Structure formats: C-alpha cells, structure tokens
Amino acid sequence: MSEKKLFLLDGHALVYRAHFAFITRPLINSKGINTSAMTGFTRTLWDLIRNENPTHLAVAFDPSGPTFRHEMYEPYKANREEQPDDIKMAFPYIERIVKGFKIPIISLPGYEADDAIGTLSKQAEKEGFKVYMVTPDKDYAQLVSENIFMYKPSRQGNGVDILGVKEVCESWDIKRVDQVIDMLGLMGDSVDNIPGIPGIGQKTAAKLLAEFDTVEELIERSNELKGKQKEKVQEFAEQGLLSKTLARIDLEVPIQFDAKSYEIEPFDREMLSEVFKELEFRSLAKQILGEGEEEEPSNVAAPTGAGTQGTLFELPAIAEPVSSALPKHAIAENDINNTPHTYHLVDDVSKQAELIRLLEQQSSFCFDTETTGIDANEAEIVGMSFAVKAREAYYVPLPKKREEALAIMQKFKPVFENEQIEKVGQNIKYDAIILKWYGIELKGTYFDTMVVHYLIEPELRHNMDYLAETYLQYKPVSITSLIGKKGKGQLTMRDVNLEKVKEYAAEDADITWQLKEFLAPHLKTEGLEDLYKKMEAPLIKVLVDLEYEGVRIDGDFLTAYSKELAIEVDESEKAVYEMAGLRFNMASPKQVGEVLFDKLKIPYRWQKTKTGQYATNEEKLAELAKDHPIVNNILKHRGLSKLKSTYVDALPKMINPRTGRIHSSFNQALAATGRLSSQNPNLQNIPIRTPQGAKVREAFIPRDENYVLMAADYSQIELRIIAEISGDEAMLEAFNAGQDIHSATAARVFGVPYDEVDKEQRYRAKTVNFSIVYGAGATNLSQQLDIKRAEAKELIENYFKQYQGLKQYMDETVEFARKNGYVTTLSGRKRYIRDINSKSSLERSNAERIAINTPIQGTAADLIKLAMIDIHKVLKEGNYRTKMILQVHDELVFDAHKAEVDVLQPIIAEKMKNAMTGLKVPILVGIDTGNNWLEAH
C-alpha cells in the first residue's frame, strides 16, 4: 500500500507571506489588482501538489471574530495592524482557487487555523498518515513528531524546508519538541502580542530550559537564579505561565479527521479557468490547466473605468470570434484562428512596388523586422512586415544572401527615410538598429507602443503579448510555436515554412498598429503626450546610434587582469583559512556561519535564517568587518571573485565578432523612476568604489589612436534636484555660493564655521544628505555611521531644523500622493503610488519612500535624457566624428576625435547644464579625457 501523505495548509499565514514577499515590487494586473498573494499562494499549492504527490489535502483559515485566547487574554494579537486592503481583496479569490482545486476548507469559530491543524495532525498520525503542516509560522514546531513535519515554503515559491524533530530541536536549541511552548512562554511572541517574561530572549530562554526543563520548574526553582533575572522571573511568573498557555496549540478542537473527505480529487477546470482568467494568470494557468482542447469561447466583458490604482483603460470592442483553439483559461478570447484578417505575402517585384506606393501615401505606418536573433548588432534580417490599418498587413521575405537582401531593402529606403511619415513599432529601437546595419536610417517621428505604455503604466509589463492580451483581448502567435524552445533544437526564422512566417510576422505589425490606435488617446488624456514627443521618442534615436556604435574593449588587458585577480582571490582565501585555522567552502553560507560564529565565537546578534542557519549576507558581515579582520577578508574574497567572473572574465566573451566592440543595450522601459538601465552587459553596476573594480574601466578604450575617451558627469545632481524641487533656502544658498554641500550641511548641523568642518563631520553630513530623502530612519543611519540610535535620531532632528524646506517638501509630496495617487517629476513624468493609503504601515512607509524619491531620481533621469537628445543633435548636425557611446547613471561617455575635443567640451558642458531651463539651482558638470574610461572619469 502506498504511503498516506496528508498536507494541511495554514491559509492565512501563506497568504500573508506571499503578499509581503512582493512588497517592494507587487504583482499588479491590468485592472489594478495586486495579485501577489493570489499568485504566491497558488504557486505554493501547485508546487506542493506537483512535487510532493499528497494523497490528502486541506486548507485551514482563521475565522473572523475573537478566539478562546482573546477571552483568556484580551490584548492577544492586539498589536496586529488592520488587514491590508490588498489581502482583504485576495481572500475571496483564494477561496475560489482552493474550491477549484476541490480542496476542503477548514474554519472553526473560536479557534485559530493552527488549533484545527494541530488537532487534525495528531488524529491523522494515529491513523498511519505522514502529516505535513504547510506554514511559515514557527509556533507549529511544537506539533512536530516522528510522523508530523513542518513544511515551510520559501517566500516566492521556489524551494522548501521540511523540519522534523531533529531540525526543530537544533533550530530552537532545545532537547524536546514540546519545549517550544516553554520557549514561547519565556520569550513571548511579539507577532501575537504574547508578553512572555521581560528580559528573556531566545538564547536566555534556551539556557534556562537546558537547566530547568519547563517554565513551571523554572518558577518553582526561581530562588536559584540571581540578580535581575531572579526578580523578573518571580515578578512575572503568572505572565510567563499565561504566555505558555496562549502559545500552546489546542489539540482538542471539535473537529474529526475524515480521511475520505480530504482525498485528492481532480480539480474543477471550469472554476479555475474562470478565476485565473479574472486574475490574468498566464503562466500559472498554462502550467496548471495546460493548453486545453478546442472549444467554443465566449466573449468576456472587458474591464472599464479609470483611476489612480492601476491601468483601467476602456477596452475596444472585439470582433465576434468564429472558432478557436484557445483554452478556456486564456486571458484573451481571440487569436489568429478566430479573428478575420488579411495578411499578404509580398514575394515578387511587382508586389513590392505596390506596397511601397501604398506606404508612400501614408502619414503613418507600422513595421516590424524578423531576424535571425535577438541581438540587433549581430542578427541578420529575414523579412519585414507592414500595417496601415487593423487586421490587414504585409510580409516581405528577404533572401539569405546579404547582397540580394540589400537590393530589396534599398527599394524601401525612401519610405523608411521619409521625415514626413510617422513610424510605428513595438520596441522600435531594435528595428531601427537592424535597418542601420543595412544602410538605412529610420527617420520621421516614432510611435513606440512599448515606450508609450511604459509612460502611462511604468509599473506594469510592456511586451507585445501582454499588451495585446490585456487591451485587445487577442493572443498573438507564440514565437516558440514557430522555432521551438531554447536549446540545441531551436530553429531560426529562416528555417520556418514561409506561410507560417508570413502569418506570424504580419500579425506582429497588425497588432502593434492596433495597440497604437488604442494607446494614443490615453497618452493624451494622461497628459503625457508632450513628455513622449519631446523626450522619450527623440531619445529612442539617440539610443539607436549609441548602441550601434558600441565601445571598444581591450580584451588582452582583461585577460592579464584576470590572472592578477586570480592571485588576489587566492591570497584572500589563504588569509581567511589561516585566520580560521582550517579550510572550508567560502561559497557555502552554512560553513561560513559555522566557522565565524561557532568556531571563532564572533558574537551573532541577528535572527537565524528560516533553515536555522546563521545569516552571512553582505549586509550582516559588513557590520562585523571593521572589528574582525577575517570577516573583512571574506567580504574581500567575495567581491574579488564576483568582479572576476561577472566582468573581467565575461566582458571579452561579449565582444561582437562583427564590430570588435561591446554593444550594451539600454532599456528605456524598465525603471519606474524613468532611469535608463543597461544590460548585456550591465555597465552601470561595475563596482568602481574599490580600486580593483575601478581598474575594469581601464579596459574601455578609444576606437583608435586618433580618439580619446571623454567623460562628462553631473556633480551631486540628485542633491541639486532636491534643492530645486523643495526650494529649501539653506540648500539653495549653499549651492549658489559654490560651497561643498556636505561641508555646508555639516557646518549647519554641527554648529561649526564652514571652514572648520572636519573630515568626520563632513562624512556624517554626506551620509545624512544621501540617506534622509531615501527614507532612512534613525536605526538605519546609526548602522551606517556606527553610532548609537539616540545620536542618529538627534542628528536627523538637527538636520531637519536646518533644512525645514526639505522636510516640508517631503511632507507635502506624501500628502499630494495620498490625495492624487501619484507623484510627478519636473518634466511631468507620472508614477502611481498604489499603497500610499494602505492600512499596513510597512506598505505605507515603503510607498512614502517611493513618493519622496521618485520626483528626485526621476527628474535627474529626465535631465540627462534631455541632455543626451541635445548633444546627439549637435553631433549629428555638425557631422562630428565624435560619438556618444555610453550613459551610466549621471555620466555620458564619448569616443571623441582628438581634433574635436576642445570644440566639443564646452558645448557638451553647456548642453548638460541647460538641458532644463528655469532652474534656481546651478548645475555643475565635470568633463575630462583619457586613453581609457578610468582616466577620463
């Protein structure tokens, strides 16, 4: 007989855990619903069913209203915040999902979920079941036995810890599982507002139980204790006993385990399909429900409305479907099989000429390229598709031979380079770069559906499939259905049947055109049309040229440097082993923790990880590094190893064989603040604050001996933007007087003359300047400066006394966000702050930080974007040989022709300083040149 496995899920605990796992980047669907809790819970449930093969399953939820513990102790759980609105909204959906899986729901008035689970666990154990309590709640550890286990899913559904008797005892440092209740009785539980005995934490509680075994025995023999501990135990004896009672899970709940009712059943596909569709679960629906068989779909009413909490566009009417192979759970009800369309194959000279005549007559046309790969600087073109109205498109296949393809492309060059015709595309930058490699410059204004949607809804996804499904109720043909999944067997577009390619490629142009028709009015109604036309659209052309140029890398330098770093890595490793007195795996957090805190007895003052291990992340170790040389060496070893693998060894492999240069891609539609992000490779994260990291920049060199690298960067730009936006008189006065802002701050905060500010005072002021506006409180600041929290609190108070305008800006910005649901940059870029009025203090404080920071960081991002546009125009119109090749945060890098440096330096500085007009704060720009990026910076 197969093993009987019962899984009992603590519903509330799993829902809360899933919700807060995504707290810094919540999963918002197109209706503005935060689906973090539903997604995390469903993934946990599905992973469990798929990986653990339970025979029996149930989910327990806490009932509404008080429980017997509230009657026993009124303040029980009184410190818990009101349930966040997003979690309230999640529970009805999750209940439907659980019912859709045909899983019984347990909820008993007067009893918590852990009481029900505890009772059922013990009953099932007696009937020969292995029981797994699925929960992150540590209190369940008291229930663990030979056949009852804690099953703790990770926060985002990837990974799990199963705790038995051994693991519980080791984690709590106790002899028996039942001592968990005594531990909680002594140390209390702040989450549930169980008081415990004051002054007794987890370590002390473990020591006391090792000697006295139980809370009762400890109280009985309290005379054996000494000093304050004796006083506390005797004074709070009753409170300790009450706390133990409150912490004990009731195993006599009025419920009876009925194995038959908890058996796994085939789930209700119809119900799951309906709820998944409502929540817009795409990948989860596909995993759980599969593609499904052919079925007759029914149109679903499209969500309508508008508001500040999410995208709530009114969706266009969709043609009545005729037949479909779409599964019932599909978010979209339409696809290429059930939507009338006319896609033309343009495969001869006369058809090409006819299409060109049609395009020449348009004020706007949509186009898309089909290529052999995703790197625009390496791929070859396979074909082009065009659309000028909905549900009709044209596909032009191109020959494999470059000369023949070029000949056809030259025919289309006049329409591509016609300044009077608007070009529409989805991520049009990619297509423009492809055309550039075929001698064509894509001219005219651009309407990029990806970038437009990013402006309207910066927090959502912007890929074409998502936009089509969400706003057009249409599911495009999947690329994997043509070329297969990634791997050795994957085809290229050249290998696919031409008829299939035509349908796929023409559909891309058709759908992108429809998205343009849908998005354009919303760009206007959201007040973002000017921002798009004056900043984001022109910036696409700048990025096309910047990425096309790329940057030269000295591969030999990096190869040699890799050998140097290998020696340093080895030396730091040996130093650690010598200090530790043994060899161990420094890549293993477990072994690092054991060596540092068990063998070397370095004091450990944090909570252990969920698996009972010491936390050895960089943040924790950095706090110990200054007092413990071995910790400093471990951090050094980690940093050097990462630098070597991520940059020094990786960059030479990324040199483009076609150009001999590296072409990073700059994503315009990723960071919600408006910042550009660099990828493949990410050149914004080179750790330049260390000498070893800074040395990587030496590998970035000019294109030849006639060029130098020129770097221009803004000085303290975000602080200047803070002064500008807040209008703080003291900050503006310091900047306008040309003072060092950190020394000026120190002089004010510490009450000393500007000329007498010392190095330590300036350092503290600098830390405060950069920390306060990013939401750092006294605790965070005390850790950064290694000072007492009270001292940090006083420092913050003094800071705001001196910069009252800044404090007023922060308060007013938060208040504006509360009333309007969004904040803006000086250029009018919007960011919706959906949790600004949340009842959860964690969500609310996080939203407040975003509200304060976004106008500052976003305005700084807008400033350099405008500067890039202006400088690019100068370089193009002046036919300069100098090229802009990199943007990294507040810095621009140029491949500068030596003969043009003296002319261009003042022009670039002027354009960067005056990219935004009418500013009260002076903008400073530093420019330098060198034979490599390090020299120029």
Side-chain angles (χ1 to χ4, degrees), residues 427-445:
N427 188 18
I428 204 168
K429 180 184 70 172
Y430 176 90
D431 305 290
I433 295 172
I434 289 290
L435 293 185
K436 205 169 172 68
W437 282 107
Y438 286 83
I440 297 171
E441 185 172 352
L442 191 65
K443 295 181 180 179
T445 58

PDB file of all heavy atoms in Angstrom, residues 427-445:
ATOM      1  N   ASN A 427       8.989  48.335 -29.476  1.00  0.00           N
ATOM      2  CA  ASN A 427      10.448  48.337 -29.277  1.00  0.00           C
ATOM      3  C   ASN A 427      11.131  48.656 -30.606  1.00  0.00           C
ATOM      4  O   ASN A 427      11.940  47.899 -31.128  1.00  0.00           O
ATOM      5  CB  ASN A 427      10.937  47.001 -28.731  1.00  0.00           C
ATOM      6  CG  ASN A 427      12.412  47.055 -28.331  1.00  0.00           C
ATOM      7  OD1 ASN A 427      12.984  48.136 -28.147  1.00  0.00           O
ATOM      8  ND2 ASN A 427      13.040  45.898 -28.217  1.00  0.00           N
ATOM      9  N   ILE A 428      10.783  49.803 -31.140  1.00  0.00           N
ATOM     10  CA  ILE A 428      11.233  50.207 -32.482  1.00  0.00           C
ATOM     11  C   ILE A 428      12.740  50.425 -32.544  1.00  0.00           C
ATOM     12  O   ILE A 428      13.343  50.397 -33.623  1.00  0.00           O
ATOM     13  CB  ILE A 428      10.455  51.463 -32.936  1.00  0.00           C
ATOM     14  CG1 ILE A 428      10.451  51.559 -34.470  1.00  0.00           C
ATOM     15  CG2 ILE A 428      10.994  52.720 -32.290  1.00  0.00           C
ATOM     16  CD1 ILE A 428       9.476  52.604 -35.007  1.00  0.00           C
ATOM     17  N   LYS A 429      13.359  50.633 -31.395  1.00  0.00           N
ATOM     18  CA  LYS A 429      14.821  50.799 -31.345  1.00  0.00           C
ATOM     19  C   LYS A 429      15.520  49.606 -31.979  1.00  0.00           C
ATOM     20  O   LYS A 429      16.479  49.761 -32.745  1.00  0.00           O
ATOM     21  CB  LYS A 429      15.277  50.965 -29.887  1.00  0.00           C
ATOM     22  CG  LYS A 429      16.781  51.139 -29.725  1.00  0.00           C
ATOM     23  CD  LYS A 429      17.173  51.197 -28.263  1.00  0.00           C
ATOM     24  CE  LYS A 429      17.000  49.849 -27.593  1.00  0.00           C
ATOM     25  NZ  LYS A 429      17.546  49.804 -26.216  1.00  0.00           N
ATOM     26  N   TYR A 430      15.034  48.404 -31.672  1.00  0.00           N
ATOM     27  CA  TYR A 430      15.641  47.181 -32.220  1.00  0.00           C
ATOM     28  C   TYR A 430      15.581  47.206 -33.747  1.00  0.00           C
ATOM     29  O   TYR A 430      16.586  46.955 -34.423  1.00  0.00           O
ATOM     30  CB  TYR A 430      14.901  45.949 -31.679  1.00  0.00           C
ATOM     31  CG  TYR A 430      15.394  44.646 -32.263  1.00  0.00           C
ATOM     32  CD1 TYR A 430      16.423  43.942 -31.648  1.00  0.00           C
ATOM     33  CD2 TYR A 430      14.848  44.128 -33.433  1.00  0.00           C
ATOM     34  CE1 TYR A 430      16.894  42.741 -32.186  1.00  0.00           C
ATOM     35  CE2 TYR A 430      15.308  42.944 -33.982  1.00  0.00           C
ATOM     36  CZ  TYR A 430      16.329  42.253 -33.353  1.00  0.00           C
ATOM     37  OH  TYR A 430      16.793  41.078 -33.894  1.00  0.00           O
ATOM     38  N   ASP A 431      14.420  47.507 -34.286  1.00  0.00           N
ATOM     39  CA  ASP A 431      14.245  47.500 -35.738  1.00  0.00           C
ATOM     40  C   ASP A 431      15.084  48.586 -36.404  1.00  0.00           C
ATOM     41  O   ASP A 431      15.626  48.389 -37.497  1.00  0.00           O
ATOM     42  CB  ASP A 431      12.767  47.689 -36.080  1.00  0.00           C
ATOM     43  CG  ASP A 431      11.903  46.643 -35.391  1.00  0.00           C
ATOM     44  OD1 ASP A 431      11.978  45.480 -35.771  1.00  0.00           O
ATOM     45  OD2 ASP A 431      11.175  47.012 -34.453  1.00  0.00           O
ATOM     46  N   ALA A 432      15.189  49.740 -35.739  1.00  0.00           N
ATOM     47  CA  ALA A 432      15.987  50.836 -36.298  1.00  0.00           C
ATOM     48  C   ALA A 432      17.465  50.467 -36.369  1.00  0.00           C
ATOM     49  O   ALA A 432      18.169  50.844 -37.313  1.00  0.00           O
ATOM     50  CB  ALA A 432      15.790  52.106 -35.469  1.00  0.00           C
ATOM     51  N   ILE A 433      17.940  49.737 -35.358  1.00  0.00           N
ATOM     52  CA  ILE A 433      19.344  49.299 -35.384  1.00  0.00           C
ATOM     53  C   ILE A 433      19.561  48.282 -36.504  1.00  0.00           C
ATOM     54  O   ILE A 433      20.566  48.337 -37.225  1.00  0.00           O
ATOM     55  CB  ILE A 433      19.766  48.712 -34.017  1.00  0.00           C
ATOM     56  CG1 ILE A 433      19.734  49.799 -32.936  1.00  0.00           C
ATOM     57  CG2 ILE A 433      21.171  48.103 -34.096  1.00  0.00           C
ATOM     58  CD1 ILE A 433      19.960  49.271 -31.526  1.00  0.00           C
ATOM     59  N   ILE A 434      18.622  47.352 -36.638  1.00  0.00           N
ATOM     60  CA  ILE A 434      18.714  46.379 -37.738  1.00  0.00           C
ATOM     61  C   ILE A 434      18.819  47.108 -39.084  1.00  0.00           C
ATOM     62  O   ILE A 434      19.676  46.803 -39.922  1.00  0.00           O
ATOM     63  CB  ILE A 434      17.479  45.443 -37.740  1.00  0.00           C
ATOM     64  CG1 ILE A 434      17.534  44.475 -36.540  1.00  0.00           C
ATOM     65  CG2 ILE A 434      17.378  44.674 -39.055  1.00  0.00           C
ATOM     66  CD1 ILE A 434      18.604  43.413 -36.619  1.00  0.00           C
ATOM     67  N   LEU A 435      17.935  48.093 -39.316  1.00  0.00           N
ATOM     68  CA  LEU A 435      17.957  48.839 -40.572  1.00  0.00           C
ATOM     69  C   LEU A 435      19.281  49.569 -40.761  1.00  0.00           C
ATOM     70  O   LEU A 435      19.802  49.671 -41.886  1.00  0.00           O
ATOM     71  CB  LEU A 435      16.800  49.846 -40.616  1.00  0.00           C
ATOM     72  CG  LEU A 435      15.377  49.280 -40.691  1.00  0.00           C
ATOM     73  CD1 LEU A 435      14.370  50.408 -40.859  1.00  0.00           C
ATOM     74  CD2 LEU A 435      15.224  48.273 -41.823  1.00  0.00           C
ATOM     75  N   LYS A 436      19.830  50.063 -39.668  1.00  0.00           N
ATOM     76  CA  LYS A 436      21.097  50.802 -39.740  1.00  0.00           C
ATOM     77  C   LYS A 436      22.214  49.913 -40.293  1.00  0.00           C
ATOM     78  O   LYS A 436      23.076  50.367 -41.047  1.00  0.00           O
ATOM     79  CB  LYS A 436      21.448  51.335 -38.346  1.00  0.00           C
ATOM     80  CG  LYS A 436      22.347  52.562 -38.339  1.00  0.00           C
ATOM     81  CD  LYS A 436      22.392  53.145 -36.938  1.00  0.00           C
ATOM     82  CE  LYS A 436      23.421  54.252 -36.829  1.00  0.00           C
ATOM     83  NZ  LYS A 436      23.064  55.447 -37.594  1.00  0.00           N
ATOM     84  N   TRP A 437      22.167  48.625 -39.955  1.00  0.00           N
ATOM     85  CA  TRP A 437      23.177  47.689 -40.467  1.00  0.00           C
ATOM     86  C   TRP A 437      22.969  47.397 -41.958  1.00  0.00           C
ATOM     87  O   TRP A 437      23.827  46.804 -42.605  1.00  0.00           O
ATOM     88  CB  TRP A 437      23.152  46.380 -39.663  1.00  0.00           C
ATOM     89  CG  TRP A 437      23.863  46.541 -38.343  1.00  0.00           C
ATOM     90  CD1 TRP A 437      23.312  46.612 -37.113  1.00  0.00           C
ATOM     91  CD2 TRP A 437      25.269  46.679 -38.153  1.00  0.00           C
ATOM     92  NE1 TRP A 437      24.274  46.791 -36.146  1.00  0.00           N
ATOM     93  CE2 TRP A 437      25.499  46.826 -36.767  1.00  0.00           C
ATOM     94  CE3 TRP A 437      26.378  46.697 -39.013  1.00  0.00           C
ATOM     95  CZ2 TRP A 437      26.765  46.991 -36.214  1.00  0.00           C
ATOM     96  CZ3 TRP A 437      27.643  46.853 -38.466  1.00  0.00           C
ATOM     97  CH2 TRP A 437      27.831  47.000 -37.097  1.00  0.00           C
ATOM     98  N   TYR A 438      21.835  47.827 -42.473  1.00  0.00           N
ATOM     99  CA  TYR A 438      21.569  47.660 -43.907  1.00  0.00           C
ATOM    100  C   TYR A 438      21.572  49.011 -44.634  1.00  0.00           C
ATOM    101  O   TYR A 438      20.975  49.167 -45.700  1.00  0.00           O
ATOM    102  CB  TYR A 438      20.253  46.913 -44.126  1.00  0.00           C
ATOM    103  CG  TYR A 438      20.380  45.438 -43.800  1.00  0.00           C
ATOM    104  CD1 TYR A 438      20.277  44.984 -42.489  1.00  0.00           C
ATOM    105  CD2 TYR A 438      20.651  44.501 -44.796  1.00  0.00           C
ATOM    106  CE1 TYR A 438      20.427  43.631 -42.168  1.00  0.00           C
ATOM    107  CE2 TYR A 438      20.803  43.151 -44.501  1.00  0.00           C
ATOM    108  CZ  TYR A 438      20.691  42.730 -43.186  1.00  0.00           C
ATOM    109  OH  TYR A 438      20.853  41.382 -42.875  1.00  0.00           O
ATOM    110  N   GLY A 439      22.234  49.995 -43.991  1.00  0.00           N
ATOM    111  CA  GLY A 439      22.420  51.293 -44.639  1.00  0.00           C
ATOM    112  C   GLY A 439      21.200  52.177 -44.657  1.00  0.00           C
ATOM    113  O   GLY A 439      21.100  53.102 -45.480  1.00  0.00           O
ATOM    114  N   ILE A 440      20.251  51.931 -43.779  1.00  0.00           N
ATOM    115  CA  ILE A 440      19.011  52.723 -43.749  1.00  0.00           C
ATOM    116  C   ILE A 440      18.875  53.406 -42.395  1.00  0.00           C
ATOM    117  O   ILE A 440      19.025  52.772 -41.343  1.00  0.00           O
ATOM    118  CB  ILE A 440      17.782  51.827 -43.995  1.00  0.00           C
ATOM    119  CG1 ILE A 440      17.854  51.196 -45.394  1.00  0.00           C
ATOM    120  CG2 ILE A 440      16.490  52.623 -43.835  1.00  0.00           C
ATOM    121  CD1 ILE A 440      16.804  50.132 -45.640  1.00  0.00           C
ATOM    122  N   GLU A 441      18.578  54.700 -42.405  1.00  0.00           N
ATOM    123  CA  GLU A 441      18.313  55.429 -41.162  1.00  0.00           C
ATOM    124  C   GLU A 441      16.810  55.644 -41.051  1.00  0.00           C
ATOM    125  O   GLU A 441      16.193  56.238 -41.949  1.00  0.00           O
ATOM    126  CB  GLU A 441      19.042  56.766 -41.144  1.00  0.00           C
ATOM    127  CG  GLU A 441      18.890  57.482 -39.819  1.00  0.00           C
ATOM    128  CD  GLU A 441      19.772  58.722 -39.713  1.00  0.00           C
ATOM    129  OE1 GLU A 441      20.610  58.933 -40.597  1.00  0.00           O
ATOM    130  OE2 GLU A 441      19.603  59.465 -38.725  1.00  0.00           O
ATOM    131  N   LEU A 442      16.229  55.166 -39.989  1.00  0.00           N
ATOM    132  CA  LEU A 442      14.787  55.277 -39.804  1.00  0.00           C
ATOM    133  C   LEU A 442      14.454  56.704 -39.360  1.00  0.00           C
ATOM    134  O   LEU A 442      14.714  57.090 -38.223  1.00  0.00           O
ATOM    135  CB  LEU A 442      14.312  54.258 -38.764  1.00  0.00           C
ATOM    136  CG  LEU A 442      12.801  54.083 -38.651  1.00  0.00           C
ATOM    137  CD1 LEU A 442      12.217  53.503 -39.938  1.00  0.00           C
ATOM    138  CD2 LEU A 442      12.454  53.174 -37.469  1.00  0.00           C
ATOM    139  N   LYS A 443      13.867  57.477 -40.267  1.00  0.00           N
ATOM    140  CA  LYS A 443      13.595  58.888 -39.987  1.00  0.00           C
ATOM    141  C   LYS A 443      12.111  59.124 -39.763  1.00  0.00           C
ATOM    142  O   LYS A 443      11.288  58.225 -39.904  1.00  0.00           O
ATOM    143  CB  LYS A 443      14.110  59.743 -41.149  1.00  0.00           C
ATOM    144  CG  LYS A 443      15.623  59.702 -41.318  1.00  0.00           C
ATOM    145  CD  LYS A 443      16.073  60.602 -42.468  1.00  0.00           C
ATOM    146  CE  LYS A 443      17.591  60.558 -42.629  1.00  0.00           C
ATOM    147  NZ  LYS A 443      18.046  61.405 -43.763  1.00  0.00           N
ATOM    148  N   GLY A 444      11.792  60.368 -39.424  1.00  0.00           N
ATOM    149  CA  GLY A 444      10.417  60.711 -39.080  1.00  0.00           C
ATOM    150  C   GLY A 444      10.179  60.511 -37.595  1.00  0.00           C
ATOM    151  O   GLY A 444      11.049  60.044 -36.860  1.00  0.00           O
ATOM    152  N   THR A 445       8.993  60.841 -37.114  1.00  0.00           N
ATOM    153  CA  THR A 445       8.684  60.637 -35.700  1.00  0.00           C
ATOM    154  C   THR A 445       8.403  59.161 -35.441  1.00  0.00           C
ATOM    155  O   THR A 445       7.972  58.438 -36.341  1.00  0.00           O
ATOM    156  CB  THR A 445       7.465  61.474 -35.277  1.00  0.00           C
ATOM    157  OG1 THR A 445       6.352  61.112 -36.105  1.00  0.00           O
ATOM    158  CG2 THR A 445       7.746  62.963 -35.420  1.00  0.00           C
TER     159      THR A 445
END
